[in-house]
Coordinates of all heavy atoms in Angstrom, one line a residue:
M1 N -15.8 -108.9 95.0 CA -16.9 -109.8 94.9 C -17.4 -110.2 96.3 O -16.7 -110.8 97.1 CB -16.4 -111.1 94.2 CG -17.5 -112.1 94.1 SD -16.8 -113.6 93.2 CE -17.8 -113.5 91.8
P2 N -18.6 -109.8 96.7 CA -19.1 -110.0 98.0 C -19.6 -111.5 98.2 O -19.9 -112.2 97.2 CB -20.3 -109.1 98.1 CG -20.8 -108.9 96.7 CD -19.5 -109.0 95.9
N3 N -19.6 -111.9 99.4 CA -20.0 -113.3 99.7 C -21.5 -113.3 99.7 O -22.1 -112.6 100.5 CB -19.4 -113.7 101.1 CG -19.7 -115.1 101.4 OD1 -20.3 -115.9 100.6 ND2 -19.2 -115.6 102.5
S4 N -22.1 -114.2 98.9 CA -23.6 -114.3 98.9 C -24.1 -115.6 99.4 O -25.1 -116.1 98.9 CB -24.0 -114.0 97.5 OG -23.5 -115.0 96.6
S5 N -23.4 -116.2 100.3 CA -23.8 -117.5 100.7 C -24.4 -117.5 102.1 O -24.1 -118.3 103.0 CB -22.6 -118.5 100.7 OG -21.6 -118.0 101.7
S6 N -25.3 -116.5 102.4 CA -25.9 -116.4 103.7 C -27.0 -117.4 103.8 O -27.7 -117.7 102.8 CB -26.4 -115.0 103.9 OG -27.4 -114.8 102.9
I7 N -27.3 -117.9 105.0 CA -28.3 -118.9 105.3 C -29.5 -118.2 105.9 O -29.3 -117.5 106.9 CB -27.8 -120.0 106.2 CG1 -26.6 -120.8 105.5 CG2 -28.9 -121.0 106.6 CD1 -25.9 -121.7 106.4
S8 N -30.6 -118.3 105.3 CA -31.8 -117.6 105.8 C -32.7 -118.5 106.6 O -33.6 -118.0 107.4 CB -32.6 -117.0 104.7 OG -33.0 -117.9 103.8
E9 N -32.6 -119.8 106.5 CA -33.4 -120.7 107.3 C -32.7 -122.1 107.4 O -31.7 -122.4 106.7 CB -34.8 -121.0 106.6 CG -34.7 -121.5 105.2 CD -36.0 -121.6 104.5 OE1 -36.8 -120.7 104.7 OE2 -36.2 -122.7 103.9
F10 N -33.2 -122.9 108.3 CA -32.6 -124.3 108.5 C -33.8 -125.2 108.7 O -34.9 -124.8 109.1 CB -31.6 -124.3 109.6 CG -32.1 -124.1 110.9 CD1 -32.5 -125.2 111.7 CD2 -32.3 -122.9 111.5 CE1 -33.0 -125.0 113.0 CE2 -32.8 -122.7 112.7 CZ -33.2 -123.8 113.5
L11 N -33.5 -126.5 108.5 CA -34.5 -127.5 108.6 C -34.1 -128.4 109.8 O -33.0 -129.0 109.7 CB -34.7 -128.3 107.3 CG -35.6 -129.4 107.3 CD1 -37.1 -128.9 107.6 CD2 -35.6 -130.2 106.0
L12 N -35.0 -128.5 110.8 CA -34.7 -129.4 111.9 C -35.4 -130.8 111.6 O -36.6 -130.9 111.6 CB -35.2 -128.8 113.2 CG -35.0 -129.6 114.5 CD1 -33.5 -129.7 114.8 CD2 -35.7 -128.9 115.7
L13 N -34.5 -131.8 111.4 CA -35.1 -133.1 111.1 C -35.3 -133.9 112.3 O -34.6 -133.7 113.4 CB -34.1 -133.8 110.1 CG -33.8 -133.2 108.8 CD1 -32.7 -133.9 108.0 CD2 -35.1 -133.1 108.0
A14 N -36.2 -134.9 112.2 CA -36.4 -135.7 113.4 C -35.2 -136.6 113.6 O -34.5 -137.0 112.7 CB -37.7 -136.6 113.1
L15 N -35.0 -137.0 114.9 CA -33.9 -137.9 115.2 C -34.2 -139.3 114.7 O -33.3 -140.0 114.3 CB -33.7 -137.9 116.8 CG -32.4 -138.3 117.3 CD1 -31.3 -137.4 116.7 CD2 -32.4 -138.1 118.8
A16 N -35.4 -139.7 114.8 CA -35.8 -141.0 114.3 C -37.2 -141.0 113.7 O -38.0 -140.2 114.1 CB -35.8 -142.0 115.5
D17 N -37.4 -141.8 112.7 CA -38.6 -141.8 111.9 C -39.7 -142.7 112.5 O -40.8 -142.5 112.4 CB -38.4 -142.2 110.5 CG -37.6 -141.1 109.7 OD1 -37.7 -139.9 110.1 OD2 -36.9 -141.4 108.8
T18 N -39.2 -143.8 113.2 CA -40.1 -144.8 113.7 C -40.6 -144.4 115.1 O -39.8 -143.8 115.9 CB -39.5 -146.2 113.7 OG1 -38.4 -146.2 114.6 CG2 -39.1 -146.6 112.3
R19 N -41.8 -144.7 115.5 CA -42.3 -144.4 116.8 C -41.5 -145.1 117.9 O -41.4 -144.5 119.0 CB -43.8 -144.7 116.8 CG -44.5 -144.3 118.1 CD -44.6 -142.8 118.1 NE -45.4 -142.3 119.2 CZ -45.3 -141.1 119.7 NH1 -44.6 -140.2 119.1 NH2 -46.0 -140.8 120.7
Q20 N -41.1 -146.3 117.7 CA -40.4 -147.0 118.7 C -39.0 -146.4 119.1 O -38.7 -146.3 120.2 CB -40.1 -148.5 118.3 CG -41.3 -149.4 118.2 CD -42.1 -149.2 116.9 OE1 -41.6 -148.6 116.0 NE2 -43.3 -149.7 116.9
L21 N -38.3 -145.9 118.1 CA -37.1 -145.2 118.3 C -37.3 -143.8 119.0 O -36.5 -143.4 119.9 CB -36.3 -145.0 117.0 CG -35.6 -146.2 116.5 CD1 -34.9 -145.9 115.2 CD2 -34.5 -146.7 117.5
Q22 N -38.4 -143.2 118.7 CA -38.7 -141.9 119.3 C -39.0 -142.1 120.8 O -38.5 -141.4 121.7 CB -39.9 -141.2 118.7 CG -39.7 -140.7 117.3 CD -40.9 -140.2 116.6 OE1 -42.0 -140.5 117.0 NE2 -40.7 -139.6 115.5
L23 N -39.8 -143.2 121.1 CA -40.0 -143.5 122.5 C -38.8 -144.0 123.2 O -38.6 -143.6 124.4 CB -41.1 -144.6 122.6 CG -42.5 -144.2 122.2 CD1 -43.5 -145.4 122.2 CD2 -43.0 -143.1 123.1
L24 N -37.9 -144.7 122.6 CA -36.6 -145.1 123.2 C -35.8 -143.9 123.5 O -35.2 -143.8 124.6 CB -35.8 -146.0 122.2 CG -34.5 -146.4 122.7 CD1 -34.6 -147.3 123.9 CD2 -33.7 -147.1 121.6
H25 N -35.7 -142.9 122.6 CA -35.0 -141.7 122.9 C -35.6 -140.9 124.0 O -34.9 -140.4 124.9 CB -34.9 -140.8 121.6 CG -34.0 -141.3 120.6 ND1 -34.3 -141.1 119.3 CD2 -32.9 -142.0 120.6 CE1 -33.3 -141.7 118.5 NE2 -32.5 -142.2 119.3
F26 N -36.9 -140.9 124.1 CA -37.6 -140.2 125.2 C -37.3 -140.8 126.5 O -37.0 -140.1 127.5 CB -39.1 -140.2 124.9 CG -39.9 -139.6 126.1 CD1 -40.0 -138.2 126.2 CD2 -40.5 -140.4 127.0 CE1 -40.7 -137.7 127.3 CE2 -41.2 -139.9 128.0 CZ -41.4 -138.6 128.2
W27 N -37.4 -142.1 126.6 CA -37.2 -142.8 127.9 C -35.7 -142.7 128.3 O -35.4 -142.6 129.5 CB -37.6 -144.2 127.8 CG -39.1 -144.3 127.8 CD1 -39.9 -144.7 126.8 CD2 -40.0 -144.0 128.9 NE1 -41.2 -144.6 127.1 CE2 -41.3 -144.2 128.4 CE3 -39.8 -143.5 130.2 CZ2 -42.4 -144.0 129.2 CZ3 -41.0 -143.3 130.9 CH2 -42.2 -143.5 130.5
L28 N -34.8 -142.8 127.3 CA -33.4 -142.6 127.7 C -33.1 -141.2 128.2 O -32.4 -141.0 129.2 CB -32.5 -142.9 126.5 CG -32.3 -144.3 126.1 CD1 -31.5 -144.4 124.8 CD2 -31.6 -145.1 127.2
L29 N -33.7 -140.2 127.6 CA -33.5 -138.8 128.0 C -34.1 -138.6 129.4 O -33.6 -137.9 130.3 CB -34.0 -137.8 127.0 CG -33.2 -137.7 125.7 CD1 -33.9 -136.8 124.7 CD2 -31.8 -137.2 126.0
L30 N -35.3 -139.2 129.6 CA -36.0 -139.1 130.9 C -35.1 -139.8 132.0 O -35.0 -139.2 133.1 CB -37.4 -139.8 130.8 CG -38.2 -139.7 132.1 CD1 -38.5 -138.3 132.4 CD2 -39.4 -140.5 132.0
G31 N -34.5 -140.9 131.7 CA -33.7 -141.5 132.7 C -32.5 -140.7 133.0 O -32.1 -140.6 134.2
I32 N -31.8 -140.1 132.0 CA -30.7 -139.2 132.3 C -31.1 -138.0 133.1 O -30.5 -137.6 134.0 CB -30.1 -138.8 130.9 CG1 -29.4 -140.0 130.3 CG2 -29.1 -137.6 131.1 CD1 -29.0 -139.7 128.8
Y33 N -32.3 -137.5 132.8 CA -32.8 -136.3 133.5 C -33.1 -136.6 134.9 O -32.7 -135.9 135.9 CB -34.1 -135.8 132.8 CG -34.7 -134.6 133.4 CD1 -34.0 -133.4 133.5 CD2 -36.0 -134.6 133.8 CE1 -34.6 -132.2 134.0 CE2 -36.6 -133.4 134.4 CZ -35.9 -132.3 134.5 OH -36.4 -131.2 135.0
L34 N -33.8 -137.7 135.2 CA -34.1 -138.1 136.6 C -32.8 -138.4 137.4 O -32.7 -138.1 138.6 CB -35.1 -139.3 136.6 CG -36.5 -139.0 136.1 CD1 -37.3 -140.2 136.1 CD2 -37.1 -137.9 136.9
A35 N -31.8 -139.1 136.7 CA -30.6 -139.4 137.4 C -29.8 -138.1 137.8 O -29.3 -138.0 138.9 CB -29.7 -140.3 136.6
A36 N -29.8 -137.1 136.9 CA -29.2 -135.9 137.2 C -29.9 -135.1 138.3 O -29.3 -134.5 139.1 CB -29.1 -135.0 135.9
L37 N -31.2 -135.1 138.2 CA -32.0 -134.4 139.3 C -31.8 -135.1 140.7 O -31.6 -134.4 141.7 CB -33.5 -134.5 139.0 CG -34.0 -133.6 137.9 CD1 -35.5 -133.8 137.7 CD2 -33.7 -132.1 138.3
L38 N -31.8 -136.4 140.7 CA -31.5 -137.1 141.9 C -30.1 -136.9 142.5 O -29.9 -136.6 143.6 CB -31.8 -138.6 141.7 CG -31.5 -139.5 143.0 CD1 -32.6 -139.2 144.0 CD2 -31.5 -141.0 142.6
G39 N -29.1 -137.0 141.6 CA -27.7 -136.8 142.1 C -27.5 -135.4 142.5 O -26.9 -135.2 143.6
N40 N -27.9 -134.4 141.8 CA -27.6 -133.0 142.2 C -28.5 -132.6 143.4 O -28.1 -131.8 144.2 CB -27.9 -132.1 141.0 CG -26.8 -132.2 139.9 OD1 -25.6 -132.3 140.3 ND2 -27.2 -132.3 138.7
G41 N -29.7 -133.2 143.4 CA -30.5 -132.9 144.6 C -29.9 -133.5 145.9 O -29.9 -132.9 146.9
L42 N -29.3 -134.7 145.8 CA -28.7 -135.3 147.0 C -27.5 -134.5 147.4 O -27.2 -134.3 148.6 CB -28.3 -136.8 146.7 CG -29.5 -137.7 146.6 CD1 -29.0 -139.1 146.2 CD2 -30.1 -137.8 148.0
I43 N -26.7 -134.0 146.4 CA -25.5 -133.2 146.7 C -25.9 -131.9 147.4 O -25.4 -131.5 148.4 CB -24.7 -132.9 145.5 CG1 -24.0 -134.2 145.0 CG2 -23.7 -131.8 145.7 CD1 -23.3 -134.0 143.6
S44 N -27.0 -131.3 146.9 CA -27.4 -130.0 147.4 C -28.0 -130.2 148.8 O -27.7 -129.4 149.8 CB -28.5 -129.4 146.6 OG -28.1 -129.2 145.3
T45 N -28.7 -131.3 149.1 CA -29.3 -131.6 150.4 C -28.2 -131.9 151.4 O -28.2 -131.4 152.5 CB -30.3 -132.7 150.3 OG1 -31.3 -132.4 149.3 CG2 -30.9 -133.0 151.6
A46 N -27.2 -132.7 151.0 CA -26.2 -133.1 151.9 C -25.3 -131.9 152.3 O -25.0 -131.7 153.5 CB -25.3 -134.2 151.2
V47 N -25.0 -131.0 151.4 CA -24.1 -129.9 151.7 C -24.9 -128.9 152.5 O -24.4 -128.3 153.4 CB -23.6 -129.2 150.4 CG1 -22.9 -127.9 150.7 CG2 -22.6 -130.2 149.7
A48 N -26.2 -128.7 152.2 CA -27.0 -127.7 153.0 C -27.3 -128.2 154.4 O -27.4 -127.3 155.3 CB -28.3 -127.4 152.2
C49 N -27.5 -129.5 154.6 CA -27.9 -130.0 155.9 C -26.8 -130.3 156.9 O -27.0 -130.2 158.1 CB -28.8 -131.2 155.7 SG -30.4 -130.9 154.9
D50 N -25.6 -130.7 156.4 CA -24.5 -131.1 157.2 C -23.6 -129.9 157.4 O -23.0 -129.4 156.5 CB -23.8 -132.2 156.6 CG -22.8 -132.9 157.6 OD1 -22.7 -132.4 158.7 OD2 -22.2 -133.9 157.2
H51 N -23.5 -129.4 158.7 CA -22.7 -128.2 159.0 C -21.2 -128.5 158.8 O -20.4 -127.5 158.7 CB -23.0 -127.7 160.4 CG -24.4 -127.2 160.4 ND1 -24.8 -126.0 159.9 CD2 -25.5 -127.7 161.0 CE1 -26.1 -125.8 160.1 NE2 -26.6 -126.8 160.8
R52 N -20.8 -129.7 158.9 CA -19.3 -130.0 158.6 C -18.9 -129.8 157.2 O -17.8 -129.7 156.9 CB -19.0 -131.4 159.0 CG -19.2 -131.7 160.5 CD -19.0 -133.1 160.9 NE -20.0 -133.9 160.2 CZ -20.1 -135.2 160.1 NH1 -19.1 -135.9 160.7 NH2 -21.1 -135.8 159.6
L53 N -19.9 -129.7 156.3 CA -19.6 -129.5 154.9 C -19.7 -128.0 154.5 O -19.8 -127.7 153.3 CB -20.6 -130.3 154.0 CG -20.6 -131.9 154.3 CD1 -21.6 -132.5 153.4 CD2 -19.2 -132.4 154.0
H54 N -19.7 -127.1 155.4 CA -19.7 -125.7 155.1 C -18.3 -125.2 155.0 O -17.9 -124.2 155.7 CB -20.5 -125.0 156.2 CG -22.0 -125.2 156.1 ND1 -22.9 -124.7 156.9 CD2 -22.7 -126.1 155.3 CE1 -24.1 -125.1 156.7 NE2 -24.0 -125.9 155.7
T55 N -17.6 -125.8 154.1 CA -16.2 -125.3 153.7 C -16.2 -124.8 152.3 O -17.1 -125.1 151.6 CB -15.2 -126.5 153.9 OG1 -15.6 -127.5 153.0 CG2 -15.2 -127.0 155.4
P56 N -15.2 -124.1 151.9 CA -15.2 -123.5 150.5 C -15.3 -124.6 149.4 O -16.0 -124.4 148.4 CB -13.8 -122.8 150.4 CG -13.5 -122.4 151.8 CD -14.1 -123.5 152.7
M57 N -14.7 -125.8 149.6 CA -14.8 -126.8 148.6 C -16.3 -127.2 148.4 O -16.7 -127.3 147.2 CB -13.9 -128.0 149.0 CG -14.0 -129.1 147.9 SD -13.0 -130.5 148.3 CE -13.9 -131.3 149.6
Y58 N -17.0 -127.4 149.5 CA -18.3 -127.9 149.4 C -19.3 -126.7 149.0 O -20.3 -127.0 148.4 CB -18.8 -128.5 150.7 CG -18.1 -129.8 150.9 CD1 -17.1 -130.0 151.8 CD2 -18.4 -131.0 150.1 CE1 -16.4 -131.2 152.0 CE2 -17.8 -132.2 150.3 CZ -16.8 -132.2 151.3 OH -16.1 -133.4 151.4
F59 N -18.9 -125.5 149.3 CA -19.7 -124.4 148.8 C -19.6 -124.3 147.3 O -20.7 -124.1 146.6 CB -19.1 -123.1 149.4 CG -19.7 -121.8 148.8 CD1 -20.9 -121.4 149.1 CD2 -18.9 -121.1 147.9 CE1 -21.5 -120.3 148.6 CE2 -19.5 -119.9 147.3 CZ -20.7 -119.5 147.7
F60 N -18.5 -124.5 146.7 CA -18.4 -124.5 145.2 C -19.0 -125.8 144.6 O -19.6 -125.7 143.5 CB -16.9 -124.4 144.8 CG -16.4 -123.0 145.0 CD1 -15.3 -122.8 145.9 CD2 -16.9 -121.9 144.4 CE1 -14.8 -121.6 146.2 CE2 -16.4 -120.6 144.6 CZ -15.4 -120.5 145.5
L61 N -19.0 -126.9 145.3 CA -19.7 -128.1 144.9 C -21.2 -127.9 144.8 O -21.9 -128.3 143.9 CB -19.3 -129.3 145.7 CG -19.9 -130.6 145.3 CD1 -19.4 -131.1 144.0 CD2 -19.7 -131.7 146.4
L62 N -21.7 -127.2 145.9 CA -23.1 -126.9 145.9 C -23.5 -125.9 144.7 O -24.5 -126.1 144.1 CB -23.5 -126.2 147.2 CG -24.9 -125.7 147.4 CD1 -25.9 -126.8 147.3 CD2 -25.0 -124.9 148.7
N63 N -22.6 -124.9 144.5 CA -22.9 -124.0 143.4 C -22.9 -124.8 142.0 O -23.7 -124.5 141.2 CB -21.9 -122.9 143.3 CG -22.2 -121.9 144.4 OD1 -23.3 -121.7 144.8 ND2 -21.1 -121.1 144.8
L64 N -22.0 -125.7 141.9 CA -21.9 -126.5 140.7 C -23.1 -127.4 140.5 O -23.7 -127.5 139.4 CB -20.6 -127.4 140.7 CG -20.4 -128.2 139.4 CD1 -20.2 -127.3 138.2 CD2 -19.2 -129.1 139.6
A65 N -23.6 -128.0 141.6 CA -24.8 -128.8 141.5 C -26.0 -128.0 141.2 O -26.8 -128.4 140.4 CB -25.0 -129.5 142.9
L66 N -26.1 -126.8 141.7 CA -27.3 -125.9 141.4 C -27.2 -125.5 140.0 O -28.2 -125.4 139.3 CB -27.3 -124.8 142.4 CG -27.7 -125.1 143.8 CD1 -27.6 -123.9 144.7 CD2 -29.0 -125.8 143.9
L67 N -26.0 -125.2 139.5 CA -25.8 -124.7 138.1 C -26.2 -125.9 137.2 O -26.9 -125.7 136.1 CB -24.4 -124.3 137.9 CG -24.1 -123.8 136.5 CD1 -24.8 -122.5 136.2 CD2 -22.6 -123.6 136.3
D68 N -25.8 -127.1 137.5 CA -26.1 -128.2 136.7 C -27.6 -128.5 136.7 O -28.2 -128.9 135.7 CB -25.4 -129.5 137.2 CG -25.5 -130.6 136.2 OD1 -25.5 -130.4 135.0 OD2 -25.6 -131.8 136.7
L69 N -28.3 -128.3 137.8 CA -29.7 -128.5 137.9 C -30.4 -127.5 137.0 O -31.4 -127.8 136.2 CB -30.2 -128.2 139.3 CG -30.2 -129.4 140.2 CD1 -30.6 -129.0 141.7 CD2 -31.1 -130.5 139.8
G70 N -29.9 -126.2 137.0 CA -30.5 -125.2 136.1 C -30.3 -125.5 134.6 O -31.2 -125.4 133.8
C71 N -29.1 -126.0 134.3 CA -28.8 -126.2 132.9 C -29.5 -127.5 132.4 O -30.1 -127.5 131.2 CB -27.3 -126.5 132.7 SG -26.3 -125.0 132.9
I72 N -29.6 -128.5 133.2 CA -30.2 -129.7 132.7 C -31.7 -129.6 132.7 O -32.4 -130.2 131.9 CB -29.8 -130.9 133.6 CG1 -30.0 -132.2 132.8 CG2 -30.5 -131.0 134.9 CD1 -28.8 -133.1 132.9
S73 N -32.3 -128.7 133.5 CA -33.7 -128.5 133.5 C -34.2 -127.6 132.4 O -35.4 -127.5 132.2 CB -34.2 -127.8 134.8 OG -33.9 -128.8 135.9
T74 N -33.3 -127.0 131.6 CA -33.7 -126.2 130.5 C -33.5 -127.0 129.2 O -34.3 -126.8 128.2 CB -32.9 -124.9 130.4 OG1 -31.5 -125.2 130.4 CG2 -33.3 -124.0 131.6
T75 N -32.5 -127.8 129.1 CA -32.2 -128.5 127.9 C -32.9 -129.8 127.7 O -33.5 -130.1 126.6 CB -30.7 -128.7 127.7 OG1 -30.2 -129.4 128.8 CG2 -30.0 -127.4 127.6
L76 N -32.9 -130.7 128.7 CA -33.4 -132.0 128.5 C -34.9 -132.1 128.4 O -35.4 -132.9 127.6 CB -33.0 -132.9 129.7 CG -31.6 -133.6 129.4 CD1 -31.2 -134.5 130.5 CD2 -31.6 -134.4 128.1
P77 N -35.7 -131.3 129.1 CA -37.2 -131.4 128.8 C -37.5 -130.9 127.4 O -38.4 -131.5 126.8 CB -37.8 -130.4 129.8 CG -36.8 -130.4 131.0 CD -35.5 -130.6 130.3
K78 N -36.8 -130.0 126.9 CA -37.0 -129.6 125.5 C -36.6 -130.7 124.5 O -37.3 -131.0 123.5 CB -36.2 -128.3 125.2 CG -36.3 -127.8 123.8 CD -37.7 -127.3 123.5 CE -37.7 -126.7 122.1 NZ -39.1 -126.4 121.7
A79 N -35.5 -131.4 124.8 CA -35.0 -132.5 124.0 C -36.0 -133.6 124.0 O -36.3 -134.3 123.0 CB -33.7 -132.9 124.4
M80 N -36.6 -133.9 125.2 CA -37.6 -134.9 125.4 C -38.9 -134.6 124.6 O -39.5 -135.5 123.9 CB -38.0 -135.1 126.8 CG -36.8 -135.8 127.6 SD -37.0 -135.8 129.4 CE -38.6 -135.6 129.8
A81 N -39.3 -133.3 124.6 CA -40.4 -132.9 123.8 C -40.2 -133.0 122.3 O -41.0 -133.4 121.5 CB -40.8 -131.5 124.2
N82 N -38.9 -132.7 121.9 CA -38.6 -132.9 120.5 C -38.5 -134.3 120.1 O -38.7 -134.7 118.9 CB -37.3 -132.1 120.2 CG -37.4 -130.7 120.2 OD1 -38.5 -130.1 120.0 ND2 -36.3 -130.0 120.4
A83 N -38.2 -135.2 121.0 CA -38.1 -136.6 120.7 C -39.4 -137.2 120.4 O -39.5 -138.2 119.6 CB -37.4 -137.4 121.8
L84 N -40.4 -136.6 120.9 CA -41.8 -137.2 120.7 C -42.4 -136.4 119.5 O -43.4 -136.8 118.9 CB -42.7 -137.0 121.9 CG -42.3 -137.9 123.1 CD1 -43.2 -137.7 124.3 CD2 -42.3 -139.4 122.7

């Protein structure tokens, strides 16, 4: 007997139905996004500009900050657009 429970589509529901909650989600996500951009930007700038921080630990910290910038810049703007 073969399994016939395959899913061919899904329904993406809104996070909130009221406009006030949608705006609240948008502003919260925007705040998180800006805080992450500021924090990772400061880490990247500090490690790149200060020559005393050119050690392996800070090299990997710089890589982690850049990776986080890339990840957060792909997911949060899409989530903010979906919130509205």
Side-chain angles (χ1 to χ4, degrees):
M1 176 180 247
N3 187 2
S4 63
S5 63
S6 64
I7 298 173
S8 61
E9 61 184 40
F10 67 95
L11 179 62
L12 181 63
L13 298 174
L15 201 56
D17 291 333
T18 63
R19 186 69 175 161
Q20 290 84 12
L21 283 177
Q22 291 173 349
L23 289 174
L24 176 67
H25 289 147
F26 174 80
W27 288 110
L28 286 174
L29 290 173
L30 182 64
I32 292 169
Y33 182 59
L34 292 176
L37 284 180
L38 178 67
N40 288 316
L42 287 174
I43 289 171
S44 301
T45 303
V47 173
C49 291
D50 193 356
H51 293 287
R52 293 176 296 172
L53 300 179
H54 290 181
T55 61
M57 180 179 74
Y58 292 105
F59 172 75
F60 289 117
L61 182 65
L62 175 65
N63 283 335
L64 183 63
L66 293 175
L67 181 69
D68 189 37
L69 277 173
C71 289
I72 204 135
S73 293
T74 56
T75 55
L76 272 181
K78 178 68 175 172
M80 289 168 21
N82 287 338
L84 293 179

